[in-house]
Amino acid sequence: MTISRRLMMVFLIVVVSMVTLAFYSVNTARKFLLDCVSKHSIFLAEEMMKKVEYSINDKMEFLQVRSKGYLLEKVLAESNREFESLDNIEEYIAQKEREWVSAPEGSITPFMKRLIDNRLSQQLRDEYIKFWIEEYGRVVFTEALVTNRYGANVAQTARTTDYRQDDEQWWQVAKRDGVYVGGVEYDESTGNYGLVLAQRVEDERHNFIGVIKAIMHVTGIIKQAELAAERCQTTEIKLITKKGQLIYATKSFRILEDISGKEFFKKIKQQSGFFISQEGGRERIFSYVSSRGQIKFRGPQWILLVSHDTREVFNPIFILRSHILNASLIIIVLTVLVTLFISRSITMPIARLREGAEIIGKGNLDYKVGTEANDEVGQLSRAFDRMTENLKKVTASRDELNKEILVRKQAEAELKNTYEELKKAHRQLEESEAQLIQSEKMRTLGMVTAGIAHELNNPMMGMLNFVQYCIKHTPEDDRRYGILKDVEQEINRCISILRNLLTFSRMSREGQQEYQKESLAAVLERTLQLLSFRIDTQHITVTQHIDEETPDVWMKVSNIQQVFLNLITNALDALEKAEKKEINIQVRPEGEFVRTTIADSGCGIAPENLKKIFDPFFTTRPPGQSTGLGLSICQSIVEEHGGKIICESEPGRGAKFEVLLPIKRERKEERYEW
Amino acid sequence: MSRQKLIWSVFVLAGIAVALGLIFMQHKGGQEPIKIGAVLAMSGPGADCGLDLRNGMLLAIEEINKWGGINGKRIELIIQDSKTDPEEGKRAFERIEKAHHPLLYVSVLSTVSMAVAPLAEKYEVAVVGLIATAPELTEQNNWVFRYYPTAKHEISPIMSILQQLKLKDSGIIYLDDEYGRSVFGRFKEAFEEAGGKLRSQVFQAGETDFKKYITELKHCSAIYVVGLATYIKEILKELRKEDYKGTILATSTATLYSIRGMPEADGIYVASPLIFNPDFFFASELKQKYEARYNRPLTIYAANGYDFIKFLIGVLEDRELARKSIRSLLEEEVFYTGVFGDLEIKPKEREINFSLFPAQIVNGQIRFID
């Protein structure tokens, strides 16, 4: 991986880590914000609920205070007395009820008008309706009425739907318990929804004399509390009963709508808390609190919910996240650019260094990287230049040294060549000397042999004539005839030997012989005849295999015979102490050559000696018994003929000499290359 | 591909994927919007109404859409100009219906709303008349609703003022259209029932010379001016020019800044909505937002448009959004507290009326009368 990629990766890892940390922080902040907003909303809901409860409690106390009024007690006392004077109270009330209900809707009968317009009714309107509007600018009570102890209306702020109230729950509870706080109900007489409050009215001696009922304007209760609360754009406030009936909402709502099936209502479990739920296709944070009641008032059993759209609550987080995202993208782009710049500032000098190294590597030691930078790479470049300068100096010294070494090596080689030439000349000199000695020996031997043979030949011829004469004159059946024949045969053999000796000596004496075509078989035959005595005395079996198609070979006959003589003599020497005494001679044509093989079953030649046997003066025999020139001369003769002599041998398994001689005579430079 | 190149490619691709993912998170697509067709008077004599109403509606829509719309759907307002002409209003309605098939419509002004009402019946789609006072609008049509005071609401505070000032003879100058005639009819009935003596003058749309009408009424203790803003301005100028000494009263239209800012409007009595009460939280909040957004004074028309859209939230939330169900939802009994105060919509009445209160224009400001 290149430096730029490594740098890029490191920078990006750092940036990604920072971004991840930033998003983690944002997420943590979101949790804290949710917790904070929810707790704040719970606190807000609690305060609002307290205001609602306080408002209801306050109005109940208002009812209690108003239940002790002089006019109220007086009117009720009069009404009760009036009813007590009736013969049948129940029938009276029932009849009035029928008249009341049967009256057309919206109409006011004289009986109703008497109840609506009496002094107590006027007081009720003043105290319950007008007072709050005039003093506080809002409707608190929408209706108020007073019944006597028999449940019949005595005074009322407006027409009610019924005349008798003793069958109503609020009346019965207020009579029994003293106080009644109902739920939110639709009041037909006012056409409004309201909270029914009722208070038992007693005289000074605590006798039950009637009930006073007032209907609180529900929206007014909550609105008073709601307006005190700070709101976000999406803040919604709901007031619901514990059964899930909607009493109030800050957005448009259907009063007493059953919302118990809504997801958020099902999540309300405790006295207060918060949760996130869906409403209107949006995610909202709901905080809620249930009414706990005041000291004497157990509360309306309502639940107040404050909810906010999560998008608005978490909007700062979203904005922060968005900013982080945008900043991250910018930082990543900047990081890439800065990384490219930095990596370029690092890699460019390095690339120049590399380029310099390659140029210098090719031998240009004059190249300079040359940088003005003071950083590490700059220092390295300058060190590199110094190194090049030093290298240049060292290289110059090395070149001179190399030149000197080269001269010396050339001198050494020349010396070595001279030595080899001298050595070769020395060997040739030695060989020439040996050949000269051998030649002289052979010429001397030839002269001696020719003299002896010539001197012996004549007597032998005379003896032959005599013996043949004797044979001629001796009958065949004479016992001497056989002897004479043997003598004749032996004389002929002697004559043959003498002729061979004469032939050999003639050849030796002639020295520089001429090449002539001759049969190798014939040469071998003559050689064997020369050695026949020794062959016989050593009891050696000589086998010959002469190929009939073997052609005659151009040769210096006496030299080749000398070769064969030496080889067979050596074989005879090797067989002196051998158990198996055999010499096998083969002659066969082989392409343009004739191969002559002379193998013995003697002791063989040691491997360390095998390579030396053709060396002049090499011998394994005791001093004085051999000059060590035999095989060397053989090799010289054969090579002079353009042939080759090869020896194969293993100790104990005899030796085999092969002489290859070209059939045709050829010039020396055209000799066959082996 | 070498191992290093593969790792590098994966690294780069992962980075691109993360970046694209984060960008995609920021721009998540929404669902099919809730379309509201709007036949507005963007030109002609009623242009002031249409422009302000459009601004108010768009402000509310921006606020709702900002937090995800209703039921996860954005609200889209499709506006066509009626040019304050009933016939053009019908053509505008047809254009919207053909191209967009919206969930419901709003139309502006009584004349235009009355004209498009038959189309609402024909296409069985709810049309809500805004800035439309004619009582006949909702009385004669099953698919037409109203969110505005009627003539009854207009004259109630005027009657209150006249009673407080103990004025028994009054004149009225009104525009001869559904709006003017409906206000005149109600006012005549109420004023004469209260024992007053009423003289009236009617003018036609497009008239510019009101001297003759004022000459006829200049002996009345009070003159009640009824008409579009353009005519009210001219009539007020003429009244001041004629040096009318009596009490001048006007409809809620006179609460527009273009009228109440005139020197000629100083001291006149008007029927005013609660939005001009600086102590009313909702109104003061809207005033601040609206003026900051459009750099124009808040008007009853703008508030009407704004509040109607806000009213829709609770009505439509978590409900089936189809044309038939919209009519049922608007016919339900609903409570709502908006910039015009507490509203209680009675079931089946198809009327969403907010109250008007007696007020006086003093130095260009609305002062409510106790």
Side-chain angles (χ1 to χ4, degrees):
Chain A
M1 192 181 285
T2 60
I3 289 174
S4 58
R5 285 184 179 175
R6 285 182 190 175
L7 273 173
M8 185 84 76
M9 191 166 280
V10 168
F11 278 126
L12 285 177
I13 286 169
V14 170
V15 169
V16 169
S17 303
M18 286 171 63
V19 171
T20 307
L21 187 64
F23 277 104
Y24 174 76
S25 304
V26 167
N27 200 35
T28 307
R30 183 183 183 275
K31 287 177 184 171
F32 282 129
L33 187 62
L34 171 64
D35 195 53
C36 183
V37 168
S38 303
K39 284 179 178 171
H40 179 263
S41 297
I42 290 171
F43 175 74
L44 188 69
E46 281 177 346
E47 288 300 304
M48 288 170 68
M49 183 57 93
K50 279 179 189 171
K51 280 180 183 285
V52 169
E53 289 175 339
Y54 175 79
S55 180
I56 296 169
N57 194 43
D58 183 49
K59 302 307 172 296
M60 285 173 59
E61 287 177 357
F62 178 81
L63 242 68
Q64 276 184 323
V65 171
R66 290 293 178 271
S67 69
K68 300 294 181 188
Y70 168 75
L71 181 62
L72 177 66
E73 288 182 16
K74 185 187 171 200
V75 170
L76 283 176
E78 285 172 1
S79 175
N80 288 333
R81 278 199 297 275
E82 187 184 332
F83 270 63
E84 282 163 6
S85 65
L86 294 171
D87 293 336
N88 189 336
I89 298 170
E90 179 60 31
E91 189 181 338
Y92 174 80
I93 293 173
Q95 186 189 339
K96 289 295 179 186
E97 172 73 4
R98 283 192 295 275
E99 289 173 10
W100 191 287
V101 173
S102 62
E105 190 179 346
S107 64
I108 306 291
T109 64
F111 179 66
M112 290 177 191
K113 190 171 175 58
R114 186 162 62 87
L115 294 179
I116 292 169
D117 289 344
N118 62 36
R119 278 186 63 201
L120 183 59
S121 297
Q122 189 61 45
Q123 186 179 332
L124 288 177
R125 273 193 293 276
D126 289 343
E127 292 179 347
Y128 287 82
I129 311 293
K130 288 182 182 175
F131 170 76
W132 296 101
I133 294 171
E134 288 171 2
E135 290 297 317
Y136 299 99
R138 58 190 170 84
V139 176
V140 173
F141 292 105
T142 56
E143 185 190 73
L145 69 86
V146 175
T147 71
N148 60 20
R149 62 182 295 184
Y150 301 102
N153 290 359
V154 175
Q156 55 201 63
T157 52
R159 178 187 162 168
T160 54
T161 49
D162 299 310
Y163 171 66
R164 71 178 305 166
Q165 310 294 341
D166 61 334
D167 55 348
E168 300 282 348
Q169 186 190 13
W170 59 266
W171 194 91
Q172 292 165 3
V173 173
K175 182 188 173 187
R176 186 187 68 219
D177 301 337
V179 175
Y180 172 82
V181 180
V184 176
E185 298 168 7
Y186 180 70
D187 185 62
E188 289 182 13
S189 57
T190 59
N192 287 315
Y193 287 88
L195 182 70
V196 178
L197 304 179
Q199 172 69 44
R200 173 189 164 105
V201 183
E202 296 173 348
D203 61 15
E204 289 176 348
R205 281 173 282 181
H206 301 291
N207 293 318
F208 172 64
I209 58 172
V211 174
I212 185 167
K213 172 197 173 188
I215 297 174
M216 275 188 79
H217 190 247
V218 173
T219 312
I221 300 168
I222 183 67
K223 283 191 72 62
Q224 190 186 3
E226 179 210 333
L227 287 172
E230 285 183 23
R231 298 198 305 165
C232 301
Q233 277 188 20
T234 62
T235 302
E236 285 178 8
I237 297 164
K238 285 189 184 71
L239 193 62
I240 56 175
T241 66
K242 288 195 171 174
K243 290 181 179 176
Q245 286 181 306
L246 185 62
I247 298 169
Y248 175 78
T250 46
K251 61 187 174 189
S252 49
F253 69 99
R254 298 159 184 86
I255 196 162
L256 296 183
E257 182 186 5
D258 183 9
I259 58 168
S260 59
K262 299 259 187 186
E263 183 186 331
F264 68 82
F265 183 80
K266 291 172 183 171
K267 289 188 175 179
I268 298 171
K269 305 283 183 191
Q270 300 168 337
Q271 187 68 24
S272 64
F274 69 90
F275 53 83
I276 292 177
S277 183
Q278 289 283 328
E279 190 193 16
R282 289 170 297 171
E283 196 179 62
R284 301 183 68 83
I285 302 168
F286 287 85
S287 301
Y288 65 94
V289 61
S290 301
S291 64
R292 294 184 174 128
Q294 301 282 329
I295 299 168
K296 294 178 184 176
F297 171 48
R298 69 185 181 94
Q301 302 297 300
W302 291 345
I303 299 165
L304 200 147
L305 286 120
V306 177
S307 67
H308 314 274
D309 196 310
T310 51
R311 291 196 195 192
E312 186 184 15
V313 172
F314 297 136
N315 196 42
I317 299 292
F318 295 149
I319 291 170
L320 182 63
R321 195 172 67 184
S322 175
H323 287 181
I324 289 173
L325 175 64
N326 294 335
S328 302
L329 292 174
I330 292 167
I331 288 170
I332 287 170
V333 170
L334 285 176
T335 301
V336 170
L337 294 176
V338 168
T339 306
L340 288 174
F341 176 75
I342 293 173
S343 65
R344 196 174 164 78
S345 69
I346 294 171
T347 55
M348 280 297 284
I350 291 174
R352 286 183 63 191
L353 267 176
R354 188 196 63 204
E355 188 185 355
E358 285 175 356
I359 291 169
I360 290 162
K362 288 174 182 171
N364 182 5
L365 295 175
D366 294 326
Y367 183 83
K368 299 284 181 196
V369 175
T371 178
E372 298 298 321
N374 286 321
D375 56 9
E376 289 82 350
V377 179
Q379 291 168 6
L380 180 64
S381 299
R382 283 191 287 278
F384 190 82
D385 284 345
R386 286 197 296 276
M387 182 195 76
T388 309
E389 193 63 36
N390 293 335
L391 190 62
K392 191 178 172 184
K393 290 174 186 171
V394 171
T395 306
S397 303
R398 186 203 64 191
D399 287 347
E400 285 178 8
L401 198 61
N402 281 344
K403 280 178 186 173
E404 194 177 330
I405 290 168
L406 191 64
V407 170
R408 289 188 181 188
K409 278 186 175 177
Q410 284 174 348
E412 186 183 339
E414 284 173 8
L415 200 61
K416 195 173 178 180
N417 287 339
T418 307
Y419 171 74
E420 288 297 326
E421 282 173 7
L422 282 172
K423 196 175 171 184
K424 191 177 175 182
H426 176 71
R427 190 168 65 244
Q428 285 175 344
L429 193 62
E430 283 179 339
E431 285 176 4
S432 299
E433 187 186 12
Q435 280 182 340
L436 195 61
I437 292 166
Q438 182 67 10
S439 179
E440 190 59 31
K441 278 164 70 177
M442 292 301 289
R443 196 175 69 83
T444 307
L445 181 63
M447 286 175 69
V448 171
T449 307
I452 293 169
H454 183 74
E455 291 299 321
L456 286 175
N457 190 47
N458 292 332
M460 289 304 287
M461 287 302 289
M463 286 169 70
L464 182 59
N465 289 329
F466 287 129
V467 168
Q468 286 172 341
Y469 177 82
C470 291
I471 291 169
K472 192 175 176 180
H473 296 89
T474 307
E476 288 184 5
D477 56 350
D478 190 335
R479 185 179 58 93
R480 287 172 293 188
Y481 182 82
I483 293 166
L484 287 172
K485 282 304 258 188
D486 289 342
V487 171
E488 184 189 25
Q489 188 181 347
E490 288 303 315
I491 290 169
N492 280 333
R493 196 164 73 92
C494 288
I495 291 167
S496 178
I497 290 166
L498 287 172
R499 281 177 183 166
N500 285 341
L501 283 170
L502 278 172
T503 304
F504 178 72
S505 62
R506 196 179 299 125
M507 289 174 187
S508 300
R509 276 184 282 116
E510 283 169 359
Q512 197 66 25
Q513 298 173 55
E514 291 298 323
Y515 282 87
Q516 61 183 68
K517 251 187 166 181
E518 180 65 271
S519 168
L520 282 171
V523 176
L524 277 167
E525 186 58 34
R526 283 198 296 274
T527 306
L528 288 170
Q529 279 184 1
L530 283 173
L531 296 170
S532 59
F533 176 75
R534 197 174 166 188
I535 290 168
D536 292 340
T537 53
Q538 281 186 230
H539 307 290
I540 291 165
T541 306
V542 176
T543 56
Q544 292 186 70
H545 300 282
I546 311 297
D547 196 315
E548 291 177 353
E549 294 183 358
T550 304
D552 292 343
V553 175
W554 281 91
M555 69 178 93
K556 289 182 177 177
V557 177
S558 61
N559 287 358
I560 294 303
Q561 186 169 343
Q562 185 181 349
V563 170
F564 291 156
L565 186 67
N566 275 343
L567 293 177
I568 295 169
T569 303
N570 285 343
L572 293 172
D573 291 343
L575 291 171
E576 276 182 352
K577 294 178 180 177
E579 291 179 3
K580 186 181 178 183
K581 299 181 184 215
E582 287 179 355
I583 293 173
N584 184 20
I585 298 168
Q586 289 184 350
V587 179
R588 69 172 189 275
E590 201 171 278
E592 294 180 351
F593 290 81
V594 174
R595 180 185 292 272
T596 304
T597 306
I598 299 166
D600 65 64
S601 57
C603 58
I605 304 165
E608 64 273 17
N609 296 331
L610 196 57
K611 292 179 181 176
K612 302 175 187 174
I613 56 173
F614 293 108
D615 292 344
F617 307 108
F618 177 78
T619 181
T620 55
R621 291 176 188 167
Q625 290 188 11
S626 173
T627 60
L629 288 169
L631 286 174
S632 178
I633 290 166
C634 289
Q635 189 180 41
S636 298
I637 292 167
V638 172
E639 285 178 356
E640 190 185 357
H641 281 73
K644 177 94 179 169
I645 182 165
I646 303 162
C647 176
E648 292 177 4
S649 177
E650 288 181 33
R653 302 185 72 174
K656 181 171 80 176
F657 285 85
E658 290 182 324
V659 178
L660 281 118
L661 291 171
I663 296 166
K664 294 177 181 174
R665 185 186 174 196
E666 56 191 14
R667 286 176 293 184
K668 200 168 186 176
E669 59 271 22
E670 291 174 348
R671 279 190 297 179
Y672 184 80
E673 289 295 331
W674 300 91
Chain B
M1 189 182 280
S2 69
R3 188 166 167 268
Q4 281 183 2
K5 276 188 179 177
L6 186 69
I7 292 168
W8 186 248
S9 303
V10 169
F11 191 74
V12 170
L13 285 174
I16 291 168
V18 168
L20 289 176
L22 291 171
I23 291 166
F24 179 72
M25 277 170 65
Q26 283 194 316
H27 301 94
K28 257 196 307 193
Q31 301 176 26
E32 179 72 17
I34 297 170
K35 292 179 182 175
I36 299 174
V39 181
L40 307 183
M42 302 299 289
S43 56
D48 285 346
C49 314
L51 188 64
D52 283 349
L53 188 108
R54 183 201 64 179
N55 290 346
M57 291 175 86
L58 289 176
L59 181 63
I61 287 169
E62 277 176 20
E63 288 179 3
I64 293 168
N65 286 346
K66 185 179 178 183
W67 308 118
I70 299 174
N71 297 347
K73 297 180 176 182
R74 294 174 66 257
I75 301 174
E76 187 181 325
L77 192 66
I78 299 146
I79 300 169
Q80 285 287 326
D81 185 9
S82 71
K83 299 177 182 172
T84 327
D85 175 27
E87 289 305 313
E88 184 58 33
K90 285 198 275 187
R91 286 192 287 275
F93 186 101
E94 291 280 11
R95 285 196 295 273
I96 296 173
E97 180 66 14
K98 196 174 178 181
H100 300 283
H101 195 73
L103 188 66
L104 75 158
Y105 284 87
V106 294
S107 67
V108 168
L109 301 176
S110 296
T111 49
V112 177
S113 299
M114 289 292 283
V116 301
L119 296 174
E121 302 297 317
K122 177 185 169 186
Y123 291 112
E124 296 190 331
V125 60
V127 172
V128 181
L130 305 175
I131 321 174
T133 55
E136 303 84 5
L137 184 65
T138 54
E139 288 168 2
Q140 298 171 359
N141 303 289
N142 292 324
W143 286 88
V144 182
F145 296 78
R146 181 206 324 271
Y147 185 26
Y148 206 69
T150 62
K152 181 180 74 177
H153 299 89
E154 275 285 352
I155 63 151
S156 178
I158 297 298
M159 284 300 297
S160 175
I161 292 164
L162 290 170
Q163 283 173 355
Q164 281 191 38
L165 296 174
K166 299 183 173 31
L167 298 173
K168 291 290 184 179
D169 65 318
S170 176
I172 179 169
I173 178 170
Y174 66 94
L175 176 65
D176 189 15
D177 67 354
E178 281 86 354
Y179 163 63
R181 286 192 293 272
S182 65
V183 174
F184 166 69
R186 290 276 181 173
F187 181 64
K188 185 174 186 295
E189 184 184 339
F191 190 66
E192 289 179 350
E193 190 180 316
K197 187 182 174 185
L198 184 68
R199 298 179 70 182
S200 65
Q201 290 292 311
V202 59
F203 62 92
Q204 300 303 312
E207 281 193 53
T208 53
D209 183 11
F210 300 98
K211 188 177 178 181
K212 56 185 175 183
Y213 305 121
I214 289 166
T215 305
E216 290 293 320
L217 299 174
K218 68 179 179 183
H219 299 296
C220 296
S221 304
I223 296 177
Y224 183 28
V225 184
V226 179
L228 297 174
T230 317
Y231 305 120
I232 293 176
K233 285 180 199 171
E234 294 304 316
I235 292 167
L236 287 177
K237 284 177 185 172
E238 196 62 38
L239 280 167
R240 296 306 184 195
K241 194 176 167 186
E242 291 295 315
D243 196 23
Y244 176 67
K245 300 292 184 187
T247 302
I248 302 171
L249 304 105
T251 57
S252 56
T253 308
T255 59
L256 294 175
Y257 184 75
S258 61
I259 297 175
R260 65 181 153 92
M262 293 166 58
E264 292 86 350
D266 196 48
I268 72 166
Y269 292 92
V270 292
S272 172
L274 206 53
I275 57 167
F276 297 111
N277 181 357
D279 298 327
F280 183 43
F281 172 74
F282 291 114
S284 58
E285 187 189 33
L286 173 61
K287 184 174 184 291
Q288 199 176 358
K289 284 191 292 191
Y290 185 84
E291 290 177 358
R293 175 73 175 78
Y294 294 106
N295 197 27
R296 288 167 65 96
L298 178 68
T299 63
I300 185 173
Y301 306 141
N304 189 207
Y306 177 87
D307 212 40
F308 172 68
I309 298 295
K310 287 283 186 175
F311 166 79
L312 284 178
I313 297 175
V315 174
L316 303 183
E317 209 168 69
D318 289 335
R319 306 286 167 158
E320 184 196 357
L321 300 181
R323 284 187 164 186
K324 279 192 177 176
S325 57
I326 291 297
R327 187 175 78 160
S328 306
L329 293 171
L330 290 171
E331 283 182 336
E332 287 181 0
E333 182 181 30
V334 174
F335 288 77
Y336 174 61
T337 302
V339 295
F340 294 108
D342 295 334
L343 305 179
E344 183 181 347
I345 295 94
K346 298 291 182 189
K348 302 288 181 186
E349 285 191 357
R350 299 196 299 281
E351 287 280 0
I352 309 163
N353 309 123
F354 54 85
S355 300
L356 297 173
F357 300 90
Q360 188 176 22
I361 296 169
V362 179
N363 295 328
Q365 301 297 317
I366 304 291
R367 284 194 182 169
F368 288 90
I369 301 167
D370 291 336

